Amino acid sequence: MSLRHAVCLSLLISATLATTVRAATIGREQDIVDLKLGQRVMVDDGTCPAGQVKEVRGAKMTDKGVVRTSSCVGRFGPKSK
């Protein structure tokens, strides 16, 4: 494999990983219209304790679509004193 092909392949893999890792943050769980299998969406609706946010995941595929699960996870960001 030439160096040019290796560089192109590594850039393609990096771009793919960067777009799939990022999680969206929204204000209401009802605003999630098309949750995909394995997708994670952060919902900041005030239902979790301070310092945490609700994470909604597309957990399992059924005949009727993707089953959602949710749990409170630590809020990412800079630590405050």
Side-chain angles (χ1 to χ4, degrees):
M1 183 185 300
S2 71
L3 180 62
R4 184 176 177 185
H5 290 304
V7 170
C8 289
L9 183 61
S10 65
L11 287 174
L12 180 64
I13 291 171
S14 298
T16 303
L17 290 175
T19 57
T20 57
V21 171
R22 194 177 71 195
T25 302
I26 60 171
R28 298 182 325 162
E29 191 171 351
Q30 293 84 4
D31 294 339
I32 305 170
V33 291
D34 189 25
L35 189 67
K36 296 174 181 61
L37 188 63
Q39 183 181 7
R40 296 177 180 200
V41 179
M42 303 298 183
V43 179
D44 191 9
D45 59 358
T47 58
C48 291
Q52 294 185 344
V53 66
K54 185 192 298 183
E55 180 183 67
V56 179
R57 291 179 302 264
K60 186 171 130 181
M61 184 62 83
T62 64
D63 295 338
K64 297 182 181 184
V66 177
V67 176
R68 298 176 179 196
T69 61
S70 63
S71 62
C72 293
V73 296
R75 185 180 301 270
F76 298 110
K79 292 184 179 180
S80 60
K81 294 183 180 181

XYZ file of all heavy atoms in Angstrom:
595
model
N 0.852 -1.173 0.000
C 0.000 0.000 0.000
C 0.897 1.234 0.000
O 1.839 1.319 0.770
C -0.896 -0.006 1.242
C -1.861 1.161 1.262
S -2.873 1.355 2.741
C -3.770 -0.149 2.818
N 0.575 2.151 -0.840
C 1.395 3.346 -0.925
C 1.109 4.282 0.244
O 0.092 4.166 0.929
C 1.137 4.066 -2.248
O -0.141 4.652 -2.231
N 2.012 5.197 0.451
C 1.864 6.172 1.535
C 0.623 7.030 1.325
O -0.092 7.347 2.276
C 3.114 7.043 1.614
C 3.118 8.109 2.705
C 3.021 7.451 4.072
C 4.362 8.958 2.603
N 0.344 7.366 0.095
C -0.821 8.201 -0.209
C -2.125 7.492 0.183
O -3.017 8.094 0.765
C -0.821 8.528 -1.691
C -1.918 9.444 -2.111
C -1.779 9.797 -3.565
N -2.873 10.620 -4.010
C -3.062 11.000 -5.229
N -2.202 10.651 -6.164
N -4.083 11.743 -5.555
N -2.231 6.213 -0.135
C -3.427 5.452 0.232
C -3.551 5.311 1.746
O -4.651 5.378 2.289
C -3.401 4.068 -0.423
C -3.605 4.095 -1.894
N -4.705 4.674 -2.493
C -2.854 3.601 -2.906
C -4.617 4.540 -3.796
N -3.482 3.886 -4.085
N -2.445 5.113 2.428
C -2.465 4.981 3.886
C -2.920 6.274 4.551
O -3.714 6.253 5.504
C -1.088 4.582 4.398
N -2.471 7.405 4.043
C -2.874 8.700 4.604
C -4.357 8.943 4.367
O -5.083 9.367 5.266
C -2.010 9.835 4.008
C -2.573 11.196 4.375
C -0.580 9.715 4.494
N -4.833 8.658 3.166
C -6.257 8.836 2.858
C -7.124 7.934 3.732
O -8.164 8.358 4.246
C -6.521 8.548 1.385
S -5.869 9.794 0.284
N -6.707 6.706 3.920
C -7.459 5.774 4.749
C -7.499 6.227 6.205
O -8.549 6.188 6.850
C -6.847 4.377 4.649
C -7.564 3.275 5.409
C -8.979 3.109 4.892
C -6.797 1.973 5.297
N -6.394 6.692 6.734
C -6.366 7.145 8.124
C -7.220 8.407 8.312
O -7.885 8.561 9.336
C -4.938 7.384 8.602
O -4.355 8.439 7.883
N -7.227 9.311 7.340
C -8.083 10.496 7.428
C -9.558 10.130 7.387
O -10.373 10.695 8.116
C -7.756 11.473 6.297
C -6.448 12.243 6.430
C -6.190 13.061 5.184
C -6.471 13.135 7.650
N -9.917 9.169 6.558
C -11.293 8.715 6.464
C -11.756 8.081 7.775
O -12.848 8.361 8.267
C -11.442 7.730 5.309
C -12.831 7.169 5.088
C -13.800 8.283 4.701
C -12.795 6.098 4.018
N -10.915 7.248 8.358
C -11.259 6.605 9.635
C -11.384 7.644 10.745
O -12.305 7.602 11.548
C -10.215 5.526 9.986
C -10.325 4.358 9.013
C -10.381 5.050 11.419
C -9.218 3.340 9.132
N -10.483 8.606 10.787
C -10.540 9.657 11.812
C -11.803 10.491 11.687
O -12.450 10.817 12.679
C -9.318 10.574 11.698
O -8.149 9.855 11.925
N -12.182 10.847 10.470
C -13.392 11.646 10.256
C -14.634 10.864 10.656
O -15.565 11.417 11.259
C -13.482 12.075 8.807
N -14.668 9.579 10.373
C -15.810 8.745 10.739
C -15.947 8.639 12.251
O -17.040 8.779 12.797
C -15.663 7.338 10.133
O -15.520 7.463 8.723
C -16.860 6.481 10.452
N -14.849 8.403 12.943
C -14.894 8.294 14.399
C -15.278 9.616 15.052
O -16.015 9.637 16.031
C -13.554 7.809 14.940
C -13.200 6.360 14.631
C -11.793 6.056 15.123
C -14.196 5.416 15.255
N -14.808 10.707 14.532
C -15.106 12.015 15.124
C -16.580 12.356 15.010
O -17.153 12.964 15.913
C -14.267 13.097 14.459
N -17.244 11.947 13.949
C -18.663 12.272 13.783
C -19.561 11.323 14.556
O -20.656 11.704 14.940
C -19.064 12.251 12.299
O -18.754 10.979 11.759
C -18.351 13.343 11.532
N -19.140 10.099 14.819
C -19.999 9.155 15.523
C -19.867 9.259 17.034
O -20.772 8.856 17.747
C -19.690 7.710 15.102
O -18.318 7.437 15.350
C -20.002 7.496 13.643
N -18.794 9.796 17.548
C -18.578 9.856 18.987
C -19.353 10.994 19.633
O -19.811 10.889 20.760
C -17.068 9.986 19.289
C -16.812 10.280 20.737
C -16.355 8.726 18.874
N -19.530 12.074 18.922
C -20.171 13.258 19.475
C -21.630 12.976 19.838
O -22.379 12.395 19.074
C -20.104 14.374 18.445
C -20.430 15.713 18.994
C -20.264 16.764 17.947
N -21.339 16.617 16.971
C -21.355 17.177 15.801
N -20.346 17.890 15.405
N -22.361 17.009 14.989
N -22.064 13.378 21.021
C -23.446 13.197 21.458
C -24.160 14.542 21.436
O -23.594 15.564 21.776
C -23.475 12.620 22.873
N -25.426 14.504 21.050
C -26.225 15.722 20.991
C -26.867 15.981 22.346
O -27.184 15.064 23.082
C -27.293 15.576 19.924
N -27.060 17.254 22.683
C -27.760 17.626 23.911
C -29.003 18.409 23.524
O -28.924 19.389 22.794
C -26.872 18.495 24.816
O -25.675 17.775 25.109
C -27.579 18.820 26.114
N -30.156 17.954 24.038
C -31.408 18.629 23.753
C -32.137 18.903 25.055
O -31.738 18.432 26.111
C -32.288 17.813 22.795
C -32.630 16.453 23.402
C -31.618 17.640 21.449
C -33.640 15.693 22.622
N -33.229 19.659 25.005
C -33.940 20.069 26.202
C -35.057 19.147 26.646
O -35.391 19.103 27.826
N -35.675 18.407 25.713
C -36.778 17.519 26.068
C -36.625 16.170 25.375
O -36.193 16.106 24.227
C -38.116 18.121 25.637
C -38.452 19.414 26.291
C -39.798 19.937 25.857
N -40.099 19.625 24.451
C -41.320 19.665 23.950
N -42.335 20.012 24.690
N -41.525 19.373 22.674
N -37.025 15.113 26.061
C -36.921 13.777 25.478
C -37.891 13.608 24.309
O -37.636 12.848 23.385
C -37.195 12.712 26.550
C -36.850 11.313 26.107
C -36.913 10.293 27.221
O -37.056 10.687 28.396
O -36.821 9.102 26.908
N -38.991 14.330 24.303
C -39.977 14.242 23.233
C -39.422 14.775 21.902
O -39.972 14.486 20.844
C -41.247 15.031 23.580
C -42.030 14.447 24.719
C -41.511 14.897 26.078
O -40.602 15.718 26.171
N -42.064 14.340 27.136
N -38.352 15.565 21.950
C -37.763 16.128 20.738
C -36.907 15.123 19.964
O -36.485 15.406 18.848
C -36.914 17.359 21.075
C -37.752 18.508 21.595
O -38.972 18.522 21.339
O -37.182 19.395 22.253
N -36.665 13.952 20.538
C -35.905 12.910 19.851
C -36.884 12.173 18.938
O -37.747 11.447 19.401
C -35.263 11.919 20.843
C -34.414 12.645 21.870
C -34.442 10.878 20.097
C -33.949 11.759 22.999
N -36.746 12.362 17.633
C -37.718 11.776 16.710
C -37.204 10.507 16.037
O -37.971 9.607 15.751
C -38.150 12.804 15.635
C -38.975 13.893 16.254
C -36.959 13.388 14.914
N -35.932 10.415 15.764
C -35.403 9.269 15.029
C -34.142 8.753 15.705
O -33.033 9.002 15.241
C -35.110 9.684 13.580
C -34.755 8.491 12.710
O -35.175 7.380 13.045
O -34.052 8.691 11.711
N -34.309 8.030 16.804
C -33.174 7.490 17.545
C -32.710 6.209 16.870
O -33.512 5.311 16.603
C -33.569 7.215 18.996
C -32.448 6.842 19.943
C -31.512 8.034 20.135
C -33.014 6.426 21.285
N -31.433 6.127 16.596
C -30.862 4.963 15.924
C -30.272 3.999 16.957
O -29.967 4.381 18.073
C -29.788 5.406 14.936
C -30.336 6.258 13.816
C -29.220 6.786 12.955
C -29.721 7.660 11.852
N -30.427 8.846 12.274
N -30.103 2.773 16.566
C -29.532 1.747 17.425
C -28.107 2.132 17.803
O -27.279 2.419 16.939
C -29.537 0.400 16.709
C -29.146 -0.814 17.528
C -30.132 -1.028 18.665
C -29.096 -2.042 16.652
N -27.817 2.223 19.095
C -26.495 2.582 19.582
C -26.269 4.065 19.748
O -25.265 4.472 20.319
N -27.183 4.905 19.273
C -27.027 6.351 19.387
C -27.288 6.797 20.818
O -28.153 6.253 21.501
C -27.992 7.055 18.437
C -27.870 8.547 18.424
C -28.871 9.191 17.465
O -29.728 8.526 16.904
N -28.748 10.481 17.307
N -26.556 7.796 21.270
C -26.726 8.374 22.606
C -27.073 9.842 22.467
O -26.425 10.563 21.732
C -25.455 8.249 23.418
C -25.066 6.840 23.687
C -23.767 6.776 24.435
N -23.416 5.393 24.674
C -22.578 5.012 25.596
N -21.970 5.900 26.357
N -22.309 3.739 25.775
N -28.110 10.267 23.204
C -28.527 11.663 23.185
C -28.619 12.131 24.629
O -29.237 11.474 25.462
C -29.886 11.832 22.477
C -30.322 13.275 22.491
C -29.821 11.305 21.059
N -27.999 13.266 24.930
C -28.056 13.852 26.255
C -29.286 14.767 26.334
O -29.477 15.619 25.466
C -26.802 14.661 26.554
C -25.532 13.867 26.444
S -25.508 12.528 27.622
C -23.909 11.856 27.312
N -30.112 14.566 27.371
C -31.329 15.351 27.548
C -31.197 16.124 28.854
O -31.086 15.534 29.921
C -32.575 14.446 27.583
C -33.830 15.262 27.792
C -32.675 13.618 26.316
N -31.220 17.440 28.762
C -31.103 18.303 29.941
C -32.480 18.851 30.286
O -32.819 19.991 30.008
C -30.119 19.444 29.650
C -29.739 20.206 30.898
O -30.092 19.754 32.003
O -29.093 21.258 30.769
N -33.312 17.982 30.897
C -34.677 18.380 31.225
C -34.910 18.564 32.721
O -36.039 18.772 33.154
C -35.670 17.375 30.661
C -35.461 15.965 31.188
O -34.518 15.739 31.965
O -36.238 15.071 30.795
N -33.867 18.481 33.521
C -33.984 18.719 34.958
C -34.458 17.539 35.772
O -34.738 17.684 36.959
N -34.559 16.354 35.183
C -35.033 15.186 35.926
C -33.927 14.489 36.710
O -34.226 13.701 37.597
C -35.686 14.161 34.981
O -34.740 13.778 33.982
C -36.922 14.745 34.308
N -32.676 14.776 36.407
C -31.547 14.145 37.097
C -31.002 15.078 38.181
O -31.221 16.284 38.133
C -30.446 13.808 36.099
S -30.914 12.490 34.967
N -30.277 14.532 39.159
C -29.694 15.355 40.223
C -28.683 16.365 39.680
O -28.245 16.264 38.534
C -28.993 14.337 41.128
C -29.516 13.009 40.757
C -30.018 13.104 39.362
N -28.312 17.303 40.521
C -27.341 18.336 40.129
C -26.035 17.690 39.692
O -25.561 16.736 40.301
C -27.084 19.281 41.287
N -25.458 18.190 38.615
C -24.201 17.662 38.099
C -24.370 16.477 37.178
O -23.389 15.904 36.712
N -25.627 16.076 36.907
C -25.874 14.949 36.022
C -26.869 15.338 34.943
O -27.605 16.319 35.070
C -26.417 13.748 36.801
C -25.420 13.173 37.775
C -25.953 11.915 38.434
O -27.146 11.635 38.404
N -25.060 11.162 39.045
N -26.890 14.566 33.878
C -27.804 14.791 32.768
C -28.332 13.431 32.331
O -27.666 12.408 32.497
C -27.087 15.542 31.618
C -26.002 14.710 31.003
C -28.062 16.021 30.576
N -29.552 13.409 31.789
C -30.150 12.149 31.345
C -29.544 11.742 30.003
O -29.441 12.549 29.083
C -31.654 12.299 31.187
C -32.350 10.985 30.846
C -33.794 11.153 30.407
C -34.648 11.755 31.467
N -36.065 11.836 31.036
N -29.140 10.476 29.897
C -28.618 9.934 28.651
C -29.626 8.924 28.109
O -29.938 7.943 28.760
C -27.276 9.242 28.889
C -26.677 8.662 27.627
C -25.389 7.926 27.906
O -25.450 6.874 28.578
O -24.335 8.398 27.475
N -30.156 9.187 26.925
C -31.107 8.294 26.273
C -30.348 7.541 25.188
O -29.664 8.145 24.375
C -32.284 9.092 25.662
C -33.251 8.156 24.967
C -32.993 9.897 26.730
N -30.476 6.210 25.202
C -29.746 5.366 24.255
C -30.722 4.508 23.450
O -31.739 4.069 23.980
C -28.805 4.422 25.000
C -27.653 5.090 25.667
C -26.786 4.081 26.397
N -27.536 3.331 27.389
C -27.580 3.657 28.680
N -26.914 4.692 29.125
N -28.279 2.945 29.530
N -30.370 4.279 22.205
C -31.083 3.298 21.390
C -30.512 1.939 21.715
O -29.443 1.587 21.246
N -31.215 1.168 22.554
C -30.625 -0.015 23.148
C -30.851 -1.308 22.378
O -29.950 -2.142 22.291
C -31.158 -0.199 24.565
N -32.046 -1.479 21.808
C -32.367 -2.781 21.231
C -33.326 -2.592 20.060
O -34.211 -1.737 20.107
C -33.003 -3.633 22.319
C -33.289 -5.052 21.978
C -33.699 -5.797 23.227
C -34.966 -6.569 22.985
N -35.419 -7.287 24.171
N -33.172 -3.396 19.021
C -34.044 -3.327 17.857
C -35.176 -4.335 18.014
O -34.935 -5.491 18.329
C -33.252 -3.627 16.588
C -34.056 -3.489 15.323
S -34.675 -1.847 15.053
C -33.261 -1.086 14.326
N -36.408 -3.875 17.826
C -37.583 -4.747 17.867
C -38.363 -4.568 16.568
O -37.989 -3.789 15.699
C -38.491 -4.407 19.062
O -39.001 -3.083 18.890
C -37.746 -4.517 20.378
N -39.487 -5.272 16.463
C -40.338 -5.148 15.281
C -40.915 -3.745 15.146
O -41.180 -3.281 14.051
C -41.494 -6.143 15.344
C -41.001 -7.579 15.292
O -39.874 -7.793 14.810
O -41.740 -8.477 15.733
N -41.128 -3.076 16.268
C -41.741 -1.751 16.263
C -40.729 -0.613 16.222
O -41.096 0.541 16.256
C -42.633 -1.593 17.484
C -43.781 -2.568 17.483
C -44.677 -2.388 18.664
C -45.784 -3.418 18.605
N -46.751 -3.263 19.668
N -39.448 -0.924 16.190
C -38.411 0.102 16.132
C -37.371 -0.084 17.214
O -37.217 -1.165 17.782
N -36.683 0.998 17.537
C -35.602 0.972 18.508
C -36.167 1.224 19.909
O -36.917 2.178 20.123
C -34.537 2.033 18.158
C -33.443 2.062 19.206
C -33.948 1.763 16.790
N -35.799 0.351 20.860
C -36.213 0.517 22.254
C -35.247 1.472 22.929
O -34.028 1.343 22.803
C -36.216 -0.844 22.985
C -36.538 -0.663 24.460
C -37.195 -1.786 22.339
N -35.794 2.449 23.647
C -34.971 3.450 24.339
C -34.750 3.053 25.788
O -35.645 2.524 26.438
C -35.677 4.803 24.340
C -35.908 5.352 22.989
C -36.687 6.638 23.079
N -36.901 7.188 21.749
C -37.261 8.417 21.511
N -37.484 9.241 22.517
N -37.427 8.842 20.284
N -33.557 3.338 26.281
C -33.273 3.241 27.711
C -32.675 4.568 28.136
O -32.060 5.271 27.336
C -32.290 2.106 28.035
O -31.064 2.354 27.370
C -32.845 0.762 27.636
N -32.874 4.916 29.399
C -32.309 6.177 29.875
C -31.734 5.993 31.268
O -32.194 5.157 32.045
C -33.370 7.280 29.881
O -34.404 6.959 30.775
N -30.716 6.787 31.554
C -30.096 6.793 32.877
C -29.422 8.138 33.090
O -29.134 8.862 32.142
C -29.078 5.659 33.007
O -28.047 5.826 32.066
N -29.192 8.475 34.352
C -28.509 9.722 34.688
C -27.002 9.473 34.683
O -26.534 8.519 35.291
C -28.956 10.232 36.054
S -30.674 10.752 36.083
N -26.280 10.317 33.973
C -24.822 10.196 33.896
C -24.207 11.535 34.271
O -24.873 12.564 34.244
C -24.351 9.776 32.486
C -24.863 8.402 32.131
C -24.768 10.782 31.444
N -22.929 11.509 34.610
C -22.225 12.736 34.974
C -22.159 13.706 33.812
O -21.950 13.315 32.675
N -22.360 14.965 34.120
C -22.294 16.014 33.098
C -20.840 16.252 32.731
O -19.993 16.408 33.592
C -22.912 17.293 33.648
C -23.016 18.406 32.646
C -23.637 19.622 33.264
N -24.952 19.396 33.801
C -26.094 19.550 33.108
N -26.039 19.921 31.863
N -27.251 19.336 33.672
N -20.550 16.269 31.449
C -19.195 16.502 30.983
C -18.943 17.993 30.914
O -19.819 18.778 30.636
C -18.979 15.878 29.607
C -19.150 14.386 29.617
C -20.217 13.795 29.002
C -18.241 13.594 30.278
C -20.381 12.425 29.011
C -18.385 12.221 30.295
C -19.466 11.639 29.661
N -17.728 18.392 31.163
C -17.366 19.800 31.095
C -16.330 20.114 32.145
O -15.898 19.241 32.916
N -15.933 21.357 32.219
C -14.916 21.735 33.204
C -15.459 21.611 34.621
O -16.630 21.896 34.886
C -14.586 23.185 32.865
C -15.762 23.670 32.092
C -16.355 22.487 31.407
N -14.608 21.172 35.528
C -15.005 21.048 36.927
C -15.049 22.425 37.559
O -14.222 23.290 37.292
C -14.011 20.174 37.688
C -14.047 18.732 37.252
C -13.116 17.907 38.099
C -13.167 16.465 37.677
N -12.284 15.643 38.484
N -16.041 22.615 38.405
C -16.142 23.897 39.123
C -15.887 23.671 40.598
O -16.076 22.590 41.121
C -17.534 24.505 38.905
O -18.529 23.622 39.387
N -15.450 24.721 41.278
C -15.128 24.592 42.699
C -16.347 24.726 43.565
O -17.321 25.268 43.254
C -14.123 25.676 43.090
C -12.798 25.473 42.422
C -11.819 26.526 42.882
C -10.493 26.300 42.196
N -9.501 27.252 42.595
